[in-house]
Amino acid sequence: MGLGMTRAVALVGFTGHVVEVQAHLAASVPGFTLVGLPDTALSESRDRVRAAVASTGLTWPQRKITVNLSPAALPKTGTGFDLAIAVATLAGAGVLRAADVAGVVHVGELGLDGRLHPGRGVLPAVAAAVAAGFRDVVVPAADAAEARLVPGARVVGAVDLAQVAQSYGASVERASGVDGAVAPARTGEVRRRDGDLADVLGQDEARHAIEVAAAGGHHLLLVGAPGAGKTMLASRLPGILPDLTEREAVEVTAVHSVAGVFDPGGGLLRRPPYEDPHHTATPASIVGGGSGLPRPGAASRAHRGVLFMDEAPEFGGCVLQTLRQPLEHGELVIHRAAGSARYPARFQLVLAANPCPCGQGVGKGLDCSCTALARRRYLGRLSGPLLDRVDVQVEVRPVTRVERAATTPPESSAVVAARVRAAREAASVRLRSTPWRTNAEVSGAWLRSRLGADHGLLRDVDAALDRGTLSLRGADRVLRLAWTVADLAGRDAPTRGDIGLGLALRTRGQHG
């Protein structure tokens, strides 16, 4: 009888769990049994591992092999357990020393020729291993650069199973036809270059709304005619946001690694991500889905960045309603038959919409061919509960001839980003003893408690509440905007003018 044991990592959504891979070899009728809640892809590892060992030039043990993935109650998915199963089996057969492999984490999919293929989620898997006290990790060579981004990890990148066996002292000669070439790395998305606000002519009100949204982390709705510049403005928002902190960079990179869209060649993702799904997107593509345990969707890939939904009323109603949970809680919990997955989703939502189906209902709307009912139905697709969670709502008017002929160049993203950075720093000082990071997250009660004794500051907000143009939640969001306006102006607290500007940004200037 032989017993070999090593470690692997099971990813359940965004969270990694270290798994003990135990291989028991008994002198009985040869066979291979895999237990511990494996999914279909993992169950097939029996054939991949047997072929990979033979291709490596090692002898497959002709015994009854039972491999247990402990804890057995935790669902295991994917092909990343292949290497750990092979190493544990070889250790149980005496080919590798059991003591050498017991404390090492092995992550990787094996090909039939013994080569190691890259996979998804290497960064969060390695991070989970290090957090559990296992610093020595073996991964496919194509994933080594990503694994080394985790602080404290001692990473070995291996080309194939033969190289892994040799590193533990086994005498291995690759079988004929196996060249040990490195499997190609996963192709990540090309990192975008943010456009510059200097490209935007005129649009002073909309530019200021973008700046306020960036400074306070507020959600944003842009309403305007086609060609007014809504998409251009939204695409410039990530360029004026501050860089991600070290913790945020690891968090965002881990999400993109699980989603399979991360290119480790550029290191950790330091800039806020930007996602702009098409209006034909399904709920699963936005919040996450797939067979078995769900994978992250656009909302999670936009974590700590911007989720832009152009032509927002054209999105399906169920798609828009699924955003209410992440807007409130900053995370998505997705339940499927195979289990539940929890992904972070604290993003800035930017919605863009035409004022009516024909798009010409701006200003006096003289060129609009839509009926009043058609207008109401069109914007009515954006439900009240969703819009109530969007702090900044502005109208983007067409650029005038005077603005096009202006000789003073518009401010660049670098200039605006400096003001945004200063405002964020002011807010962080004020919020340093709280669980919040930006004004958009702060509770209204906490903000009201810092306004002082001048109750006249809220006179305009109270009037809007009395008229019914503002809800209680909307009143709190006006206060958040007022604090952001004050931070941008370098004031310690908002004035009545700041609150009035916050009210105008909240109600598209229609507060009367």
Side-chain angles (χ1 to χ4, degrees), residues 346-380:
R346 190 170 295 282
F347 52 82
Q348 277 187 259
L349 177 65
V350 179
L351 304 173
N354 295 329
C356 61
C358 76
Q360 301 303 316
V362 294
K364 296 182 179 181
L366 299 179
D367 297 326
C368 178
S369 59
C370 304
T371 65
L373 179 60
R375 292 190 188 188
R376 285 197 301 271
R377 282 180 174 173
Y378 182 73
L379 287 179

PDB file of all heavy atoms in Angstrom, residues 346-380:
ATOM      1  N   ARG A 346     -17.974  46.620  -7.358  1.00  0.00           N
ATOM      2  CA  ARG A 346     -18.127  48.012  -6.938  1.00  0.00           C
ATOM      3  C   ARG A 346     -17.614  48.903  -8.071  1.00  0.00           C
ATOM      4  O   ARG A 346     -16.433  49.250  -8.133  1.00  0.00           O
ATOM      5  CB  ARG A 346     -17.378  48.276  -5.634  1.00  0.00           C
ATOM      6  CG  ARG A 346     -17.691  49.640  -5.027  1.00  0.00           C
ATOM      7  CD  ARG A 346     -17.142  49.777  -3.623  1.00  0.00           C
ATOM      8  NE  ARG A 346     -17.759  48.860  -2.692  1.00  0.00           N
ATOM      9  CZ  ARG A 346     -18.957  49.028  -2.143  1.00  0.00           C
ATOM     10  NH1 ARG A 346     -19.680  50.099  -2.456  1.00  0.00           N
ATOM     11  NH2 ARG A 346     -19.432  48.139  -1.295  1.00  0.00           N
ATOM     12  N   PHE A 347     -18.509  49.261  -8.972  1.00  0.00           N
ATOM     13  CA  PHE A 347     -18.142  50.024 -10.151  1.00  0.00           C
ATOM     14  C   PHE A 347     -18.917  51.337 -10.188  1.00  0.00           C
ATOM     15  O   PHE A 347     -19.876  51.538  -9.430  1.00  0.00           O
ATOM     16  CB  PHE A 347     -18.458  49.214 -11.424  1.00  0.00           C
ATOM     17  CG  PHE A 347     -19.877  48.708 -11.459  1.00  0.00           C
ATOM     18  CD1 PHE A 347     -20.928  49.518 -11.871  1.00  0.00           C
ATOM     19  CD2 PHE A 347     -20.163  47.406 -11.067  1.00  0.00           C
ATOM     20  CE1 PHE A 347     -22.230  49.054 -11.892  1.00  0.00           C
ATOM     21  CE2 PHE A 347     -21.480  46.938 -11.085  1.00  0.00           C
ATOM     22  CZ  PHE A 347     -22.506  47.765 -11.492  1.00  0.00           C
ATOM     23  N   GLN A 348     -18.488  52.227 -11.070  1.00  0.00           N
ATOM     24  CA  GLN A 348     -19.275  53.415 -11.380  1.00  0.00           C
ATOM     25  C   GLN A 348     -20.120  53.127 -12.610  1.00  0.00           C
ATOM     26  O   GLN A 348     -19.595  52.810 -13.675  1.00  0.00           O
ATOM     27  CB  GLN A 348     -18.364  54.617 -11.646  1.00  0.00           C
ATOM     28  CG  GLN A 348     -17.896  55.328 -10.384  1.00  0.00           C
ATOM     29  CD  GLN A 348     -17.139  56.594 -10.718  1.00  0.00           C
ATOM     30  OE1 GLN A 348     -15.910  56.618 -10.685  1.00  0.00           O
ATOM     31  NE2 GLN A 348     -17.863  57.656 -11.035  1.00  0.00           N
ATOM     32  N   LEU A 349     -21.419  53.238 -12.445  1.00  0.00           N
ATOM     33  CA  LEU A 349     -22.334  53.001 -13.559  1.00  0.00           C
ATOM     34  C   LEU A 349     -22.544  54.299 -14.325  1.00  0.00           C
ATOM     35  O   LEU A 349     -22.872  55.332 -13.742  1.00  0.00           O
ATOM     36  CB  LEU A 349     -23.680  52.486 -13.038  1.00  0.00           C
ATOM     37  CG  LEU A 349     -24.774  52.261 -14.083  1.00  0.00           C
ATOM     38  CD1 LEU A 349     -24.373  51.146 -15.047  1.00  0.00           C
ATOM     39  CD2 LEU A 349     -26.106  51.933 -13.410  1.00  0.00           C
ATOM     40  N   VAL A 350     -22.352  54.239 -15.640  1.00  0.00           N
ATOM     41  CA  VAL A 350     -22.619  55.380 -16.512  1.00  0.00           C
ATOM     42  C   VAL A 350     -23.652  54.947 -17.541  1.00  0.00           C
ATOM     43  O   VAL A 350     -23.416  54.009 -18.316  1.00  0.00           O
ATOM     44  CB  VAL A 350     -21.337  55.875 -17.216  1.00  0.00           C
ATOM     45  CG1 VAL A 350     -21.662  57.055 -18.130  1.00  0.00           C
ATOM     46  CG2 VAL A 350     -20.284  56.278 -16.196  1.00  0.00           C
ATOM     47  N   LEU A 351     -24.808  55.598 -17.527  1.00  0.00           N
ATOM     48  CA  LEU A 351     -25.875  55.320 -18.479  1.00  0.00           C
ATOM     49  C   LEU A 351     -25.955  56.459 -19.488  1.00  0.00           C
ATOM     50  O   LEU A 351     -25.846  57.626 -19.106  1.00  0.00           O
ATOM     51  CB  LEU A 351     -27.223  55.190 -17.759  1.00  0.00           C
ATOM     52  CG  LEU A 351     -27.326  54.148 -16.644  1.00  0.00           C
ATOM     53  CD1 LEU A 351     -28.670  54.278 -15.930  1.00  0.00           C
ATOM     54  CD2 LEU A 351     -27.153  52.745 -17.202  1.00  0.00           C
ATOM     55  N   ALA A 352     -26.152  56.134 -20.753  1.00  0.00           N
ATOM     56  CA  ALA A 352     -26.365  57.144 -21.787  1.00  0.00           C
ATOM     57  C   ALA A 352     -27.675  56.833 -22.486  1.00  0.00           C
ATOM     58  O   ALA A 352     -27.966  55.665 -22.778  1.00  0.00           O
ATOM     59  CB  ALA A 352     -25.215  57.157 -22.794  1.00  0.00           C
ATOM     60  N   ALA A 353     -28.471  57.869 -22.735  1.00  0.00           N
ATOM     61  CA  ALA A 353     -29.777  57.657 -23.345  1.00  0.00           C
ATOM     62  C   ALA A 353     -30.150  58.836 -24.220  1.00  0.00           C
ATOM     63  O   ALA A 353     -29.766  59.984 -23.932  1.00  0.00           O
ATOM     64  CB  ALA A 353     -30.850  57.450 -22.265  1.00  0.00           C
ATOM     65  N   ASN A 354     -30.888  58.560 -25.282  1.00  0.00           N
ATOM     66  CA  ASN A 354     -31.514  59.620 -26.058  1.00  0.00           C
ATOM     67  C   ASN A 354     -32.735  60.128 -25.290  1.00  0.00           C
ATOM     68  O   ASN A 354     -33.314  59.404 -24.477  1.00  0.00           O
ATOM     69  CB  ASN A 354     -31.934  59.094 -27.434  1.00  0.00           C
ATOM     70  CG  ASN A 354     -30.749  58.679 -28.279  1.00  0.00           C
ATOM     71  OD1 ASN A 354     -29.667  59.253 -28.165  1.00  0.00           O
ATOM     72  ND2 ASN A 354     -30.945  57.677 -29.113  1.00  0.00           N
ATOM     73  N   PRO A 355     -33.170  61.356 -25.544  1.00  0.00           N
ATOM     74  CA  PRO A 355     -34.337  61.864 -24.824  1.00  0.00           C
ATOM     75  C   PRO A 355     -35.650  61.226 -25.269  1.00  0.00           C
ATOM     76  O   PRO A 355     -36.657  61.326 -24.565  1.00  0.00           O
ATOM     77  CB  PRO A 355     -34.318  63.364 -25.147  1.00  0.00           C
ATOM     78  CG  PRO A 355     -33.584  63.465 -26.439  1.00  0.00           C
ATOM     79  CD  PRO A 355     -32.565  62.370 -26.425  1.00  0.00           C
ATOM     80  N   CYS A 356     -35.653  60.584 -26.439  1.00  0.00           N
ATOM     81  CA  CYS A 356     -36.867  59.970 -26.983  1.00  0.00           C
ATOM     82  C   CYS A 356     -36.443  58.992 -28.070  1.00  0.00           C
ATOM     83  O   CYS A 356     -35.262  58.950 -28.450  1.00  0.00           O
ATOM     84  CB  CYS A 356     -37.801  61.040 -27.544  1.00  0.00           C
ATOM     85  SG  CYS A 356     -37.067  61.982 -28.898  1.00  0.00           S
ATOM     86  N   PRO A 357     -37.349  58.180 -28.617  1.00  0.00           N
ATOM     87  CA  PRO A 357     -36.953  57.212 -29.648  1.00  0.00           C
ATOM     88  C   PRO A 357     -36.276  57.822 -30.864  1.00  0.00           C
ATOM     89  O   PRO A 357     -35.325  57.253 -31.406  1.00  0.00           O
ATOM     90  CB  PRO A 357     -38.286  56.545 -30.026  1.00  0.00           C
ATOM     91  CG  PRO A 357     -39.114  56.647 -28.799  1.00  0.00           C
ATOM     92  CD  PRO A 357     -38.756  57.973 -28.191  1.00  0.00           C
ATOM     93  N   CYS A 358     -36.735  58.987 -31.322  1.00  0.00           N
ATOM     94  CA  CYS A 358     -36.106  59.591 -32.503  1.00  0.00           C
ATOM     95  C   CYS A 358     -34.844  60.350 -32.151  1.00  0.00           C
ATOM     96  O   CYS A 358     -34.036  60.673 -33.027  1.00  0.00           O
ATOM     97  CB  CYS A 358     -37.089  60.506 -33.224  1.00  0.00           C
ATOM     98  SG  CYS A 358     -37.350  62.114 -32.418  1.00  0.00           S
ATOM     99  N   GLY A 359     -34.664  60.685 -30.886  1.00  0.00           N
ATOM    100  CA  GLY A 359     -33.449  61.350 -30.433  1.00  0.00           C
ATOM    101  C   GLY A 359     -33.437  62.848 -30.582  1.00  0.00           C
ATOM    102  O   GLY A 359     -32.453  63.494 -30.207  1.00  0.00           O
ATOM    103  N   GLN A 360     -34.497  63.442 -31.082  1.00  0.00           N
ATOM    104  CA  GLN A 360     -34.488  64.877 -31.343  1.00  0.00           C
ATOM    105  C   GLN A 360     -35.274  65.690 -30.313  1.00  0.00           C
ATOM    106  O   GLN A 360     -35.461  66.887 -30.485  1.00  0.00           O
ATOM    107  CB  GLN A 360     -35.078  65.156 -32.733  1.00  0.00           C
ATOM    108  CG  GLN A 360     -34.333  64.473 -33.868  1.00  0.00           C
ATOM    109  CD  GLN A 360     -32.863  64.850 -33.904  1.00  0.00           C
ATOM    110  OE1 GLN A 360     -32.512  66.028 -33.747  1.00  0.00           O
ATOM    111  NE2 GLN A 360     -32.010  63.847 -34.087  1.00  0.00           N
ATOM    112  N   GLY A 361     -35.716  65.037 -29.252  1.00  0.00           N
ATOM    113  CA  GLY A 361     -36.516  65.740 -28.249  1.00  0.00           C
ATOM    114  C   GLY A 361     -35.675  66.512 -27.264  1.00  0.00           C
ATOM    115  O   GLY A 361     -35.815  66.353 -26.049  1.00  0.00           O
ATOM    116  N   VAL A 362     -34.786  67.380 -27.738  1.00  0.00           N
ATOM    117  CA  VAL A 362     -33.932  68.196 -26.876  1.00  0.00           C
ATOM    118  C   VAL A 362     -34.395  69.651 -26.976  1.00  0.00           C
ATOM    119  O   VAL A 362     -35.001  70.069 -27.972  1.00  0.00           O
ATOM    120  CB  VAL A 362     -32.450  68.078 -27.288  1.00  0.00           C
ATOM    121  CG1 VAL A 362     -31.940  66.685 -27.040  1.00  0.00           C
ATOM    122  CG2 VAL A 362     -32.259  68.459 -28.749  1.00  0.00           C
ATOM    123  N   GLY A 363     -34.080  70.409 -25.948  1.00  0.00           N
ATOM    124  CA  GLY A 363     -34.497  71.807 -25.934  1.00  0.00           C
ATOM    125  C   GLY A 363     -36.007  71.900 -26.017  1.00  0.00           C
ATOM    126  O   GLY A 363     -36.737  71.279 -25.245  1.00  0.00           O
ATOM    127  N   LYS A 364     -36.517  72.671 -26.966  1.00  0.00           N
ATOM    128  CA  LYS A 364     -37.967  72.784 -27.168  1.00  0.00           C
ATOM    129  C   LYS A 364     -38.547  71.584 -27.926  1.00  0.00           C
ATOM    130  O   LYS A 364     -39.758  71.431 -28.020  1.00  0.00           O
ATOM    131  CB  LYS A 364     -38.283  74.063 -27.928  1.00  0.00           C
ATOM    132  CG  LYS A 364     -37.918  75.338 -27.151  1.00  0.00           C
ATOM    133  CD  LYS A 364     -38.303  76.589 -27.937  1.00  0.00           C
ATOM    134  CE  LYS A 364     -37.958  77.854 -27.153  1.00  0.00           C
ATOM    135  NZ  LYS A 364     -38.344  79.086 -27.897  1.00  0.00           N
ATOM    136  N   GLY A 365     -37.670  70.744 -28.476  1.00  0.00           N
ATOM    137  CA  GLY A 365     -38.136  69.534 -29.153  1.00  0.00           C
ATOM    138  C   GLY A 365     -38.913  69.791 -30.419  1.00  0.00           C
ATOM    139  O   GLY A 365     -39.799  69.007 -30.782  1.00  0.00           O
ATOM    140  N   LEU A 366     -38.595  70.875 -31.140  1.00  0.00           N
ATOM    141  CA  LEU A 366     -39.369  71.224 -32.338  1.00  0.00           C
ATOM    142  C   LEU A 366     -39.180  70.209 -33.459  1.00  0.00           C
ATOM    143  O   LEU A 366     -40.062  70.063 -34.320  1.00  0.00           O
ATOM    144  CB  LEU A 366     -38.965  72.625 -32.821  1.00  0.00           C
ATOM    145  CG  LEU A 366     -39.223  73.779 -31.821  1.00  0.00           C
ATOM    146  CD1 LEU A 366     -38.759  75.095 -32.412  1.00  0.00           C
ATOM    147  CD2 LEU A 366     -40.706  73.833 -31.449  1.00  0.00           C
ATOM    148  N   ASP A 367     -38.033  69.523 -33.488  1.00  0.00           N
ATOM    149  CA  ASP A 367     -37.763  68.549 -34.548  1.00  0.00           C
ATOM    150  C   ASP A 367     -38.181  67.135 -34.167  1.00  0.00           C
ATOM    151  O   ASP A 367     -37.995  66.201 -34.950  1.00  0.00           O
ATOM    152  CB  ASP A 367     -36.272  68.553 -34.907  1.00  0.00           C
ATOM    153  CG  ASP A 367     -35.818  69.900 -35.476  1.00  0.00           C
ATOM    154  OD1 ASP A 367     -36.636  70.535 -36.159  1.00  0.00           O
ATOM    155  OD2 ASP A 367     -34.656  70.287 -35.221  1.00  0.00           O
ATOM    156  N   CYS A 368     -38.731  66.959 -32.979  1.00  0.00           N
ATOM    157  CA  CYS A 368     -39.088  65.617 -32.489  1.00  0.00           C
ATOM    158  C   CYS A 368     -40.394  65.159 -33.131  1.00  0.00           C
ATOM    159  O   CYS A 368     -41.381  65.903 -33.188  1.00  0.00           O
ATOM    160  CB  CYS A 368     -39.211  65.630 -30.966  1.00  0.00           C
ATOM    161  SG  CYS A 368     -39.699  64.038 -30.281  1.00  0.00           S
ATOM    162  N   SER A 369     -40.388  63.916 -33.595  1.00  0.00           N
ATOM    163  CA  SER A 369     -41.578  63.342 -34.221  1.00  0.00           C
ATOM    164  C   SER A 369     -42.286  62.346 -33.310  1.00  0.00           C
ATOM    165  O   SER A 369     -43.228  61.668 -33.743  1.00  0.00           O
ATOM    166  CB  SER A 369     -41.186  62.640 -35.526  1.00  0.00           C
ATOM    167  OG  SER A 369     -40.243  61.613 -35.271  1.00  0.00           O
ATOM    168  N   CYS A 370     -41.855  62.242 -32.060  1.00  0.00           N
ATOM    169  CA  CYS A 370     -42.413  61.260 -31.132  1.00  0.00           C
ATOM    170  C   CYS A 370     -43.613  61.841 -30.382  1.00  0.00           C
ATOM    171  O   CYS A 370     -43.649  63.041 -30.084  1.00  0.00           O
ATOM    172  CB  CYS A 370     -41.364  60.810 -30.112  1.00  0.00           C
ATOM    173  SG  CYS A 370     -39.861  60.147 -30.846  1.00  0.00           S
ATOM    174  N   THR A 371     -44.547  60.991 -30.070  1.00  0.00           N
ATOM    175  CA  THR A 371     -45.677  61.416 -29.247  1.00  0.00           C
ATOM    176  C   THR A 371     -45.245  61.496 -27.788  1.00  0.00           C
ATOM    177  O   THR A 371     -44.207  60.938 -27.390  1.00  0.00           O
ATOM    178  CB  THR A 371     -46.841  60.419 -29.372  1.00  0.00           C
ATOM    179  OG1 THR A 371     -46.425  59.151 -28.831  1.00  0.00           O
ATOM    180  CG2 THR A 371     -47.260  60.257 -30.824  1.00  0.00           C
ATOM    181  N   ALA A 372     -46.041  62.186 -26.991  1.00  0.00           N
ATOM    182  CA  ALA A 372     -45.729  62.294 -25.564  1.00  0.00           C
ATOM    183  C   ALA A 372     -45.712  60.923 -24.913  1.00  0.00           C
ATOM    184  O   ALA A 372     -44.879  60.637 -24.034  1.00  0.00           O
ATOM    185  CB  ALA A 372     -46.750  63.210 -24.884  1.00  0.00           C
ATOM    186  N   LEU A 373     -46.620  60.034 -25.324  1.00  0.00           N
ATOM    187  CA  LEU A 373     -46.650  58.685 -24.768  1.00  0.00           C
ATOM    188  C   LEU A 373     -45.395  57.905 -25.131  1.00  0.00           C
ATOM    189  O   LEU A 373     -44.836  57.177 -24.298  1.00  0.00           O
ATOM    190  CB  LEU A 373     -47.895  57.960 -25.284  1.00  0.00           C
ATOM    191  CG  LEU A 373     -48.074  56.512 -24.805  1.00  0.00           C
ATOM    192  CD1 LEU A 373     -48.173  56.475 -23.280  1.00  0.00           C
ATOM    193  CD2 LEU A 373     -49.311  55.881 -25.455  1.00  0.00           C
ATOM    194  N   ALA A 374     -44.928  58.059 -26.383  1.00  0.00           N
ATOM    195  CA  ALA A 374     -43.715  57.354 -26.813  1.00  0.00           C
ATOM    196  C   ALA A 374     -42.507  57.826 -26.014  1.00  0.00           C
ATOM    197  O   ALA A 374     -41.635  57.022 -25.650  1.00  0.00           O
ATOM    198  CB  ALA A 374     -43.479  57.576 -28.307  1.00  0.00           C
ATOM    199  N   ARG A 375     -42.427  59.125 -25.719  1.00  0.00           N
ATOM    200  CA  ARG A 375     -41.320  59.641 -24.913  1.00  0.00           C
ATOM    201  C   ARG A 375     -41.339  59.034 -23.520  1.00  0.00           C
ATOM    202  O   ARG A 375     -40.301  58.602 -22.995  1.00  0.00           O
ATOM    203  CB  ARG A 375     -41.398  61.166 -24.809  1.00  0.00           C
ATOM    204  CG  ARG A 375     -41.134  61.911 -26.090  1.00  0.00           C
ATOM    205  CD  ARG A 375     -40.998  63.392 -25.782  1.00  0.00           C
ATOM    206  NE  ARG A 375     -40.931  64.204 -26.980  1.00  0.00           N
ATOM    207  CZ  ARG A 375     -40.662  65.498 -26.974  1.00  0.00           C
ATOM    208  NH1 ARG A 375     -40.460  66.119 -25.838  1.00  0.00           N
ATOM    209  NH2 ARG A 375     -40.615  66.176 -28.106  1.00  0.00           N
ATOM    210  N   ARG A 376     -42.527  59.030 -22.889  1.00  0.00           N
ATOM    211  CA  ARG A 376     -42.625  58.507 -21.531  1.00  0.00           C
ATOM    212  C   ARG A 376     -42.264  57.026 -21.486  1.00  0.00           C
ATOM    213  O   ARG A 376     -41.590  56.563 -20.579  1.00  0.00           O
ATOM    214  CB  ARG A 376     -44.036  58.730 -20.981  1.00  0.00           C
ATOM    215  CG  ARG A 376     -44.318  60.171 -20.588  1.00  0.00           C
ATOM    216  CD  ARG A 376     -45.543  60.254 -19.673  1.00  0.00           C
ATOM    217  NE  ARG A 376     -46.740  59.704 -20.311  1.00  0.00           N
ATOM    218  CZ  ARG A 376     -47.578  60.416 -21.057  1.00  0.00           C
ATOM    219  NH1 ARG A 376     -47.332  61.715 -21.269  1.00  0.00           N
ATOM    220  NH2 ARG A 376     -48.644  59.867 -21.591  1.00  0.00           N
ATOM    221  N   ARG A 377     -42.748  56.282 -22.476  1.00  0.00           N
ATOM    222  CA  ARG A 377     -42.445  54.849 -22.501  1.00  0.00           C
ATOM    223  C   ARG A 377     -40.954  54.595 -22.697  1.00  0.00           C
ATOM    224  O   ARG A 377     -40.388  53.662 -22.120  1.00  0.00           O
ATOM    225  CB  ARG A 377     -43.234  54.180 -23.630  1.00  0.00           C
ATOM    226  CG  ARG A 377     -44.698  53.937 -23.291  1.00  0.00           C
ATOM    227  CD  ARG A 377     -45.403  53.265 -24.452  1.00  0.00           C
ATOM    228  NE  ARG A 377     -46.770  52.900 -24.110  1.00  0.00           N
ATOM    229  CZ  ARG A 377     -47.645  52.420 -24.978  1.00  0.00           C
ATOM    230  NH1 ARG A 377     -47.284  52.272 -26.269  1.00  0.00           N
ATOM    231  NH2 ARG A 377     -48.873  52.103 -24.608  1.00  0.00           N
ATOM    232  N   TYR A 378     -40.316  55.429 -23.535  1.00  0.00           N
ATOM    233  CA  TYR A 378     -38.902  55.206 -23.850  1.00  0.00           C
ATOM    234  C   TYR A 378     -38.044  55.365 -22.598  1.00  0.00           C
ATOM    235  O   TYR A 378     -37.313  54.451 -22.209  1.00  0.00           O
ATOM    236  CB  TYR A 378     -38.457  56.178 -24.936  1.00  0.00           C
ATOM    237  CG  TYR A 378     -37.021  55.995 -25.374  1.00  0.00           C
ATOM    238  CD1 TYR A 378     -36.654  54.908 -26.151  1.00  0.00           C
ATOM    239  CD2 TYR A 378     -36.036  56.917 -25.015  1.00  0.00           C
ATOM    240  CE1 TYR A 378     -35.339  54.730 -26.560  1.00  0.00           C
ATOM    241  CE2 TYR A 378     -34.730  56.746 -25.414  1.00  0.00           C
ATOM    242  CZ  TYR A 378     -34.379  55.654 -26.188  1.00  0.00           C
ATOM    243  OH  TYR A 378     -33.082  55.477 -26.575  1.00  0.00           O
ATOM    244  N   LEU A 379     -38.093  56.530 -21.962  1.00  0.00           N
ATOM    245  CA  LEU A 379     -37.285  56.728 -20.762  1.00  0.00           C
ATOM    246  C   LEU A 379     -37.841  55.954 -19.579  1.00  0.00           C
ATOM    247  O   LEU A 379     -37.140  55.721 -18.592  1.00  0.00           O
ATOM    248  CB  LEU A 379     -37.196  58.222 -20.431  1.00  0.00           C
ATOM    249  CG  LEU A 379     -36.304  59.038 -21.361  1.00  0.00           C
ATOM    250  CD1 LEU A 379     -36.305  60.508 -20.961  1.00  0.00           C
ATOM    251  CD2 LEU A 379     -34.874  58.500 -21.376  1.00  0.00           C
ATOM    252  N   GLY A 380     -39.129  55.530 -19.670  1.00  0.00           N
ATOM    253  CA  GLY A 380     -39.702  54.725 -18.606  1.00  0.00           C
ATOM    254  C   GLY A 380     -39.082  53.347 -18.505  1.00  0.00           C
ATOM    255  O   GLY A 380     -39.276  52.650 -17.504  1.00  0.00           O
TER     256      GLY A 380
END
